[in-house]
Amino acid sequence: MHHHHNNALVVLSIIIAIFASYTALDLVSSLKSSRGRAKWIWLLGGSLAMGVGIWSMHFIGMLAFRIHGVDIYYDVPLLLLSVLVAIIASSLALNIISHRAPSIGTYVTGSLVMGAAIVGMHYIGIASMRMAAQIHWDHFYVVLSIIIAIASSFAALLMAFKLRDDLTLSGFLYRGGAGILMGVAISGMHYTAMAAMSFTVDSSIAVSDQQLLATDGLAAAIIIGTLIILGIALSGSNIDRALSRKSLINDILKEGIEARDQFLSVASHELKTPLTAMKLQTELALRQLNNNEFDKDYIVSLLNRTNENFNRINRLVDDMLDISRITSGKLVLNKTKVNLGDIVLDAIERFKPLYTRAGAPDVKFQKIDIVGQFDVFRIEQVMNNILSNALKYGSGKEVEVTLQLLRNKALISVKDQGIGIAKEFQSKIFERFERAISASEVSGLGLGLFIVKEIVLTHGGKIWVESELGRGSVFKVEFPLE
Ligand code: ADP
């Protein structure tokens, strides 16, 4: 018996399937970024929009179907049941995708259940058809339609999970492409299932006109209704995303302000300590000088300590200036041809008195000559920072410096036997303000190694630390030799 499809409605049904798939993929990213109650609202709204979208594709596909000379009606309760099944399948799919990291087993069960639900929705829809004709089934196409439903559910879940975080333009294009693919798969399932049917007229079947008659008007109403629902869902999802992006920016700003406040409080504490000491030392020296029989040695030692405090403040201010130079990209090297061995040796010699005063043994170093292009002042700064850390965190034990020539590289290692650094901090300490120890234990701003790293990187080199907590650390700096 002659039957055919209304081409315009077929095209519209495919467009609706693509639009619904795209909306579903878009909703997934909103679902993912929301928490608590908002998540439930998205899950509910998303399942509703996606379920109605998929169902509407199927139903329009069925309204596109015509048998010559036979009116087709639909049983409303069964039709509503098929909508319900589509919504449940969608909520299931969304639920799976919103998981943090679904396993392959979850995808398989998910696509089996989702595929079964789509098949259920379709065949319940067919079962709701009322007409004076008998349906004959071609089992090959029925099985094929079931396979397509399950396979496309699997692909859809996989794609939706992959794409859910990507909010860039390429993410949008991917989502568009995936939407088209999914839309075509859903339509493919529907029209394969429709191809499974053939009909013979049977006027003995009574059809009551209480039921819904398939007309173009009904198709138009369903298309418009679906577009409205999908449009609401899509704009809701975009508004939600814009709002959460705004709150993310607020969070970042707040973090920046907190970091600034923390820096101000630590920096002022770092400046206050040497200033207080200097005030005390000058007062003591003045009191001595006002006394006719003053102790010269005592005054000299007071002034020496004042001088050290001056140096400490100077270093702090230099560090802050360097930080602002680095962040504004103005750290410029002034390279000359020099002997790296000399720079390292000079730095160690300058540090020796500090070590002996702290009761630590001499710094061990065997000088070798390595000539290359370096910024002397900046390399001295690198050495000073690492050596002063070895003193600060070295528990008064021996420090050993080695300089090696490796093929076309120079390697400086500074080894101490101090408190060491836990694994999780070993790369962090090279970041700005990052410390592996609290300010109440050992004072510091956490800027030194950041500046050191920037100087080393600007020289084209690299820096890292090998360390064990409680055992000591080895800081290694590698410079390329041109
Ligand atoms: P500061 O010493 O002012 O805190 P740095 O940037 O020089 O800043 O060092 C960052 C952190 O790295 C220190 O706070 C400390 O926790 C850790 N650190 C640096 N050198 C050593 C070392 N030789 N032994 C143990 N910990 C170290």
Side-chain angles (χ1 to χ4, degrees):
M1 203 185 85
H2 185 65
H3 66 263
H4 71 285
H5 279 95
N6 173 327
N7 288 337
L9 284 182
V10 169
V11 172
L12 280 171
S13 77
I14 296 176
I15 291 175
I16 293 246
I18 293 173
F19 190 27
S21 304
Y22 177 81
T23 309
L25 290 176
D26 196 82
L27 288 176
V28 166
S29 47
S30 292
L31 187 65
K32 213 232 128 188
S33 57
S34 53
R35 304 253 167 285
R37 211 171 59 189
K39 191 170 185 119
W40 282 105
I41 295 175
W42 271 124
L43 199 62
L44 214 74
S47 323
L48 205 75
M50 189 173 152
V52 167
I54 295 176
W55 171 85
S56 152
M57 177 271 136
H58 275 259
F59 192 57
I60 293 163
M62 280 162 62
L63 291 178
F65 178 78
R66 303 283 155 84
I67 302 173
H68 193 68
V70 177
D71 278 342
I72 304 176
Y73 294 84
Y74 288 92
D75 182 66
V76 177
L78 273 182
L79 214 51
L80 290 179
L81 180 65
S82 72
V83 183
L84 199 69
V85 170
I87 294 173
I88 290 171
S90 305
S91 73
L92 200 89
L94 289 179
N95 214 340
I96 289 173
I97 295 161
S98 62
H99 277 201
R100 220 155 271 278
S103 67
I104 196 79
T106 318
Y107 281 124
V108 172
T109 359
S111 48
L112 281 176
V113 181
M114 198 178 140
I118 291 178
V119 169
M121 167 197 71
H122 180 85
Y123 288 101
I124 292 171
I126 299 287
S128 71
M129 281 174 115
R130 297 284 176 268
M131 59 201 169
Q134 256 177 6
I135 305 176
H136 305 281
W137 294 97
D138 179 334
H139 296 293
F140 171 77
Y141 283 108
V142 173
V143 172
L144 191 62
S145 74
I146 295 174
I147 292 173
I148 294 178
I150 293 171
S152 58
S153 301
F154 185 78
L157 287 179
L158 216 61
M159 267 189 296
F161 186 80
K162 282 236 160 62
L163 296 176
R164 64 179 189 174
D165 287 336
D166 198 339
L167 298 179
T168 61
L169 177 68
S170 70
F172 168 78
L173 292 177
Y174 271 132
R175 252 200 305 282
I180 292 176
L181 219 72
M182 264 167 73
V184 169
I186 294 171
S187 321
M189 181 268 153
H190 174 85
Y191 290 106
T192 309
M194 293 306 276
M197 299 190 295
S198 57
F199 304 87
T200 46
V201 174
D202 183 347
S203 45
S204 71
I205 298 177
V207 183
S208 96
D209 45 14
Q210 297 294 307
Q211 288 152 341
L212 203 58
L213 177 64
T215 58
D216 287 347
L218 180 61
I222 291 201
I223 290 170
I224 291 169
T226 308
L227 290 181
I228 290 174
I229 290 179
L230 293 180
I232 290 174
L234 208 55
S235 39
S237 145
N238 282 308
I239 290 170
D240 179 70
R241 227 157 22 213
L243 288 179
S244 63
R245 205 170 303 150
K246 205 165 148 197
S247 82
L248 184 72
I249 292 171
N250 276 340
D251 285 352
I252 293 172
L253 286 178
K254 222 186 278 164
E255 257 171 45
I257 291 170
E258 266 165 30
R260 184 201 63 190
D261 290 347
Q262 198 195 347
F263 171 74
L264 279 178
S265 92
V266 176
S268 33
H269 174 79
E270 287 292 306
L271 287 171
K272 187 80 188 160
T273 316
L275 278 174
T276 314
M278 278 161 74
K279 183 169 161 47
L280 197 72
Q281 285 146 5
T282 33
E283 273 171 9
L284 282 174
L286 276 176
R287 207 176 301 161
Q288 274 281 320
L289 286 171
N290 284 332
N291 197 338
N292 281 337
E293 289 163 25
F294 58 79
D295 178 346
K296 187 182 161 222
D297 288 347
Y298 181 51
I299 291 177
V300 169
S301 87
L302 282 175
L303 288 180
N304 265 333
R305 273 188 278 158
T306 309
N307 203 27
E308 270 168 34
N309 279 318
F310 259 127
N311 289 339
R312 188 168 157 192
I313 294 176
N314 233 340
R315 276 198 303 274
L316 274 173
V317 174
D318 280 344
D319 276 0
M320 292 187 202
L321 284 174
D322 277 343
I323 291 291
S324 73
R325 250 178 231 131
I326 290 168
T327 39
S328 61
K330 286 190 195 125
L331 181 77
V332 185
L333 296 182
N334 179 15
K335 286 196 202 173
T336 48
K337 192 172 171 191
V338 280
N339 185 344
L340 192 58
D342 286 338
I343 307 178
V344 174
L345 183 65
D346 284 352
I348 293 173
E349 290 301 330
R350 246 177 292 122
F351 254 88
K352 271 187 180 165
L354 285 179
Y355 276 83
T356 19
R357 210 170 315 148
D362 243 8
V363 180
K364 271 186 28 188
F365 178 60
Q366 196 73 49
K367 187 193 141 186
I368 61 162
D369 295 322
I370 298 180
V371 177
Q373 292 283 334
F374 298 101
D375 182 325
V376 179
F377 173 71
R378 293 297 179 186
I379 301 289
E380 272 173 1
Q381 208 180 346
V382 168
M383 287 311 298
N384 289 345
N385 257 301
I386 299 178
L387 285 170
S388 73
N389 278 346
L391 179 65
K392 230 161 113 179
Y393 306 105
S395 316
K397 301 214 182 96
E398 190 180 81
V399 173
E400 188 179 352
V401 181
T402 47
L403 177 60
Q404 287 166 279
L405 179 64
L406 314 167
R407 225 169 281 159
N408 50 1
K409 283 178 196 145
L411 177 71
I412 306 170
S413 316
V414 179
K415 179 173 176 228
D416 66 53
Q417 298 169 33
I419 58 170
I421 304 161
K423 268 256 154 348
E424 66 263 33
F425 288 115
Q426 289 179 8
S427 57
K428 256 197 187 158
I429 52 169
F430 296 99
E431 299 303 320
R432 222 182 326 179
F433 307 132
E434 290 292 351
R435 310 192 68 215
I437 194 164
S438 78
S440 58
E441 289 172 87
V442 185
S443 76
L445 278 179
L447 290 178
L449 287 179
F450 172 72
I451 297 170
V452 164
K453 183 190 75 180
E454 292 297 322
I455 294 174
V456 173
L457 290 181
T458 324
H459 271 89
K462 51 181 190 176
I463 178 165
W464 70 99
V465 64
E466 289 159 11
S467 179
E468 205 180 314
L469 207 55
R471 283 283 175 88
S473 318
V474 192
F475 279 83
K476 297 196 170 180
V477 185
E478 201 179 78
F479 289 113
L481 298 168
E482 275 122 348

